[in-house]
Amino acid sequence: MAHAQEHTSHTKLIWKVFGILSAITLVEVILGIIKPEFLHLTNFLGTSLLNIIFLVLTLVKAYYITWFFMHMADEKKNLRRAVVWTAFFLICYLAALLLIEGSYINDVLGPLTKWNY
């Protein structure tokens, strides 16, 4: 009997996490389609606020996937921190490098390229 009750609680948790991940994805898709000018045309930390929102939402989704679907919630505290924090900092580092290099390439090659919008 206890086993069936435990299974039900995990099922509810999976659906809850699925709902959260779906809501975050829906917000990302809506923002990508609408592309509000006050977010898209405002620069902050070398990129638009819209890009920063996408980065933050992607990190939140990666956290939820790692925490619940890779069963990090059941692991010891130090292993959880090692996995989640390492992934978080590596993703932030990669995003910073891509933004810095992309900005440099845009500054150097932008005047030489005719962009057709």
Side-chain angles (χ1 to χ4, degrees):
M1 191 72 168
H3 178 68
Q5 200 173 32
E6 181 181 333
H7 179 71
T8 304
S9 66
H10 284 296
T11 302
K12 288 180 183 178
L13 179 66
I14 289 171
W15 281 109
K16 179 181 174 183
V17 172
F18 173 75
I20 292 170
L21 292 174
S22 297
I24 292 171
T25 303
L26 186 64
V27 168
E28 286 178 334
V29 169
I30 290 171
L31 285 175
I33 291 172
I34 294 175
K35 234 182 194 181
E37 287 188 21
F38 72 95
L39 293 175
H40 179 61
L41 299 177
T42 305
N43 283 332
F44 182 70
L45 296 176
T47 188
S48 69
L49 284 175
L50 188 61
N51 284 344
I52 291 176
I53 290 171
F54 284 142
L55 287 171
V56 169
L57 291 176
T58 301
L59 285 171
V60 169
K61 285 193 328 186
Y63 170 78
Y64 269 101
I65 290 168
T66 303
W67 196 258
F68 291 105
F69 294 122
M70 294 177 65
H71 307 288
M72 282 292 139
D74 299 330
E75 297 295 337
K76 292 189 178 189
K77 189 176 187 179
N78 289 333
L79 178 64
R80 290 190 313 227
R81 286 182 178 172
V83 171
V84 172
W85 289 1
T86 302
F88 176 80
F89 287 120
L90 286 176
I91 291 170
C92 289
Y93 182 64
L94 174 66
L97 289 178
L98 289 173
L99 291 172
I100 291 167
E101 290 297 320
S103 176
Y104 172 75
I105 289 173
N106 184 44
D107 292 343
V108 171
L109 296 179
L112 304 173
T113 307
K114 182 179 178 185
W115 300 100
N116 294 327
Y117 285 49

